[in-house]
Amino acid sequence: MNTVVGVIGGGQLARMMVPPAINLGLEIRVFAESESSPAEMAATAIGDYTNVDSVFAFAQGCDVVTFDHEHVPQAVLTELVRRGIRVRPSPESLIFAQDKLLMRERLAALGIPVPGWAKASTAAEVDSFLLEYGGRAVAKVARGGYDGKGVRIITSSADITQWLTALAPGESLLLEELVSFRRELAQLVARRPSGELALWPVVETVQQDGVCSEVIAPAPHSAGRIADVAAQIAADIAEGLNVTGVMAVELFETTDDRILVNELAMRPHNSGHWSIDGSTTSQFEQHLRAVLDLPLGATGMTEPFSVMVNILGGPQAGGLPSRYAQAMKLHPTAKFHSYGKEGRPGRKVGHVTASGDDLADVAYQARGASAFFQH
Amino acid sequence: MNTVVGVIGGGQLARMMVPPAINLGLEIRVFAESESSPAEMAATAIGDYTNVDSVFAFAQGCDVVTFDHEHVPQAVLTELVRRGIRVRPSPESLIFAQDKLLMRERLAALGIPVPGWAKASTAAEVDSFLLEYGGRAVAKVARGGYDGKGVRIITSSADITQWLTALAPGESLLLEELVSFRRELAQLVARRPSGELALWPVVETVQQDGVCSEVIAPAPHSAGRIADVAAQIAADIAEGLNVTGVMAVELFETTDDRILVNELAMRPHNSGHWSIDGSTTSQFEQHLRAVLDLPLGATGMTEPFSVMVNILGGPQAGGLPSRYAQAMKLHPTAKFHSYGKEGRPGRKVGHVTASGDDLADVAYQARGASAFFQH
């Protein structure tokens, strides 16, 4: 009898769960949206993840069902649970990664440090918030945004008239203080149902146009207080929200020296891709272990530093392999990852990680190797 | 257009090529012998590798064809090449891994140090060799032996009467000096068609009942002369035999301080499994790069020591995953590899690797973690 993990969603996160599943001898099955997807090599069903019967048919043969993304509706998730499917993370936990307003409310209740925030459903509420926070703020749609989509810096309610008028009765937008931060950090944590936690070193994340472009592990100048605070925040959230699997907590390191929570992702996350090559246990292997309630693996780094650079756009034809001959020749230590996607401007199609004991050289190798594909 | 690597044979070596193929965005297709094989997740054809038309039909869609094992007959290989298939390693190189007599003759011609040897097809020739070498020797069938099969220590021609009478006209057995060795080593090398070579650190291999049980990387007390000689031998063979892909050279470190070649494997090899977790570039990724004539990756170790322990036999039911709960709890740094095979006494069903900077602890972790599965 094989141990079977089902993954809803056929994106690159599902794809990157396949190698550790093969290594561990676990059977992985993917419910993909279309015939051609990054995780197609493990797809056993193609369908619509909002259709509960399709998802249930897929899930029946699985020991546990988990996710490539957070978009599966609560109604589908709770019905799967009602029909006896083991869903991890649970719908009750996942809701906080699906709805930014619920997340802010819950984190506030748990005493987790977050930027100033408010709900708003009218122009008057928006303008009142702007007045309180000095005339600038961040507006976010509560559900469905990602990679900078559904997030806007505003100076007037007029900037988001469309979002306000599109709100259904009872819905609100999230308004947040525009935090003055020195840099962004991310703390990756894994938790299994029995309660065991594992934390990787806190990392620095660099964004371009709202999309992660680079990750440095560990975050420079983070030893001591910053690492301790980030770890404590992530542990408190994982326990407070009863998370199962990997969770990424995106953080601001502010100019007034505070660590505030920005966003949560309740799945493996771009900020943890470096762990495939740079940690004893990758976030993808750890996610499989956690959702199966297996003991978690060691999260130490195999080398002192890792730098991961995303490949956005990519070659229009031939994919990353069409440029390996040049890139590999100059960067023999770089680890190349292709998601098997067609190149398209701004699209995440792969990443490169380099590791070693000299951060300047490691960053040079990762940036240099990725440059061959960035257009 | 995908870059497609075809692998003939569906064993664990083909299986372990799948994760790096996924990472690199290469398409891997496996020609397996049966529906259920360790590499079944990548199998696109099931058939008999001695049937040239079956293999050709499989190979037509591949940019290059390589191997999980060395058993594909020369007649099939040369016909594939004649029909325009890119076969790596080439039939002309692979013959030296298929035929131990040809290998010995060629290594001797290249000036590579080997144990004393002779061909023998009669009892008189065997007994004459025994007399010359003090009454004991090793007899080997020239073709088809592996993991201790087809190898026997003899004191008289009567010990191998069956082998002698089974010889076809023109065939011979290989007789070898019974070398007095302190330990066995293995040197892994990769070579691509353009000539570039990459060598991993020389390792110590421990055998039980003729089967590899443990590998220590790097081999203790190998820095300097031993490492240099092993590397030079492997490089000379790789170039002398025009090898493409990964080759393992099994070596004796004799009591009179010589390094002699024992066997060759012209494919990824058990002595290199540690590289999946302990080297910047695993032997499986390197093999893919080499047969595609891509630049080779760095072969340094990510941590100072790695120890790999084979799992022989394994649980009769449920596979390795059925015992992960206990093994992972006590060994969080161990990396577990299951080949998806049913347990059977003496069968290689997986391996465990541990890495770190304290060899005694690394060996303890690898041996301890593997002990959960060894029965």
Side-chain angles (χ1 to χ4, degrees), chain B residues 23-158:
Chain B
N23 286 343
L24 290 171
L26 306 172
E27 186 176 336
I28 188 164
R29 297 183 190 166
V30 168
F31 182 97
E33 300 79 52
S34 60
E35 288 290 339
S36 173
S37 70
E40 61 188 356
M41 73 289 290
T44 59
I46 311 287
D48 173 2
Y49 58 75
T50 68
N51 181 313
V52 69
D53 290 322
S54 303
V55 178
F56 179 68
F58 163 80
Q60 273 185 297
C62 301
D63 292 292
V64 62
V65 165
T66 187
F67 307 96
D68 168 79
H69 57 69
E70 292 136 340
H71 308 321
V72 182
Q74 280 284 317
V76 172
L77 298 174
T78 51
E79 178 60 17
L80 289 177
V81 171
R82 203 191 62 77
R83 295 190 193 175
I85 303 299
R86 195 176 284 145
V87 176
R88 290 177 178 163
S90 70
E92 297 75 33
S93 299
L94 200 62
I95 187 71
F96 298 107
Q98 294 180 317
D99 188 309
K100 292 180 209 256
L101 270 173
L102 288 180
M103 186 264 282
R104 283 280 175 260
E105 286 170 357
R106 183 61 178 272
L107 294 193
L110 289 169
I112 305 286
V114 297
W117 66 280
K119 308 165 73 150
S121 54
T122 66
E125 285 170 337
V126 173
D127 289 320
S128 156
F129 187 88
L130 281 165
L131 195 62
E132 182 180 354
Y133 282 95
R136 295 177 78 206
V138 183
K140 296 179 177 179
V141 297
R143 297 195 172 205
Y146 68 97
D147 274 356
K149 296 171 186 69
V151 176
R152 202 170 291 175
I153 294 176
I154 60 169
T155 55
S156 155
S157 60

Side-chain angles (χ1 to χ4, degrees), chain B residues 64 66 103-104 149 156 181 187 193 202 205 207 222 280 345 371:
Chain B
V64 62
T66 187
M103 186 264 282
R104 283 280 175 260
K149 296 171 186 69
S156 155
F181 61 84
Q187 176 65 57
V202 65
T205 64
Q207 331 288 324
S222 66
T280 300

Side-chain angles (χ1 to χ4, degrees), chain A residues 27-347:
Chain A
E27 185 176 337
I28 188 163
R29 297 182 190 167
V30 168
F31 182 97
E33 300 80 51
S34 60
E35 288 291 338
S36 174
S37 69
E40 62 188 357
M41 73 289 291
T44 60
I46 311 287
D48 173 1
Y49 57 75
T50 68
N51 181 314
V52 70
D53 290 321
S54 301
V55 179
F56 179 69
F58 164 80
Q60 273 184 297
C62 301
D63 292 291
V64 63
V65 165
T66 188
F67 307 96
D68 168 78
H69 58 69
E70 292 135 340
H71 309 320
V72 182
Q74 280 284 316
V76 171
L77 298 173
T78 53
E79 179 60 17
L80 289 177
V81 172
R82 203 190 62 76
R83 295 189 193 175
I85 303 297
R86 194 176 285 144
V87 177
R88 290 177 177 163
S90 71
E92 298 76 32
S93 299
L94 199 62
I95 186 73
F96 299 108
Q98 294 179 316
D99 188 309
K100 293 181 208 256
L101 269 173
L102 288 179
M103 186 264 281
R104 282 279 176 259
E105 286 170 355
R106 184 60 178 274
L107 294 193
L110 289 169
I112 306 287
V114 296
W117 66 280
K119 308 166 70 148
S121 54
T122 66
E125 286 170 337
V126 173
D127 289 322
S128 156
F129 186 87
L130 281 165
L131 195 61
E132 184 181 352
Y133 282 94
R136 295 177 78 206
V138 183
K140 296 180 177 178
V141 297
R143 296 193 174 208
Y146 68 98
D147 273 356
K149 296 172 186 68
V151 175
R152 202 170 292 174
I153 294 175
I154 60 169
T155 55
S156 155
S157 61
D159 295 339
I160 48 171
T161 302
Q162 277 191 317
W163 288 2
L164 286 165
T165 53
L167 288 172
E171 283 187 353
S172 299
L173 298 175
L174 170 64
L175 301 180
E176 282 185 356
E177 172 191 4
L178 187 64
V179 171
S180 171
F181 60 84
R182 289 187 285 191
R183 58 176 178 174
E184 293 186 69
L185 305 171
Q187 176 66 56
L188 205 66
V189 59
R191 183 173 178 275
R192 66 176 180 129
S194 61
E196 186 191 3
L197 286 177
L199 293 122
W200 286 265
V202 64
V203 301
E204 178 173 339
T205 63
V206 181
Q207 331 288 324
Q208 281 188 338
D209 305 324
V211 178
C212 175
S213 62
E214 185 172 313
V215 173
I216 303 168
H221 303 287
S222 65
R225 188 188 66 94
I226 291 173
D228 293 347
V229 171
Q232 191 61 56
I233 287 172
D236 287 349
I237 296 173
E239 285 171 356
L241 305 187
N242 201 24
V243 173
T244 298
V246 165
M247 176 178 66
V249 183
E250 297 182 70
L251 300 161
F252 294 123
E253 180 185 323
T254 69
T255 50
D256 62 353
D257 241 355
R258 292 178 300 153
I259 306 291
L260 304 179
V261 173
N262 178 20
E263 300 284 354
L264 299 184
M266 228 169 268
R267 49 171 171 73
H269 186 252
N270 202 162
S271 64
H273 289 357
W274 67 273
S275 65
I276 300 172
D277 301 299
S279 174
T280 300
T281 309
S282 81
Q283 64 169 346
F284 298 100
E285 176 179 338
Q286 198 80 294
H287 190 74
L288 296 173
R289 289 183 180 217
V291 300
L292 287 168
D293 203 15
L294 287 170
L296 302 179
T299 49
M301 297 184 66
T302 52
E303 303 196 65
F305 300 101
S306 286
V307 171
M308 186 238 45
V309 179
N310 275 335
I311 297 170
L312 298 171
Q316 297 285 313
L320 271 58
S322 66
R323 298 196 185 151
Y324 282 158
Q326 303 146 279
M328 288 176 168
K329 187 170 180 184
L330 291 177
H331 298 281
T333 60
K335 305 309 297 176
F336 298 85
H337 296 263
S338 167
Y339 307 153
K341 291 175 171 178
E342 263 179 56
R344 191 190 299 165
R347 192 181 206 193

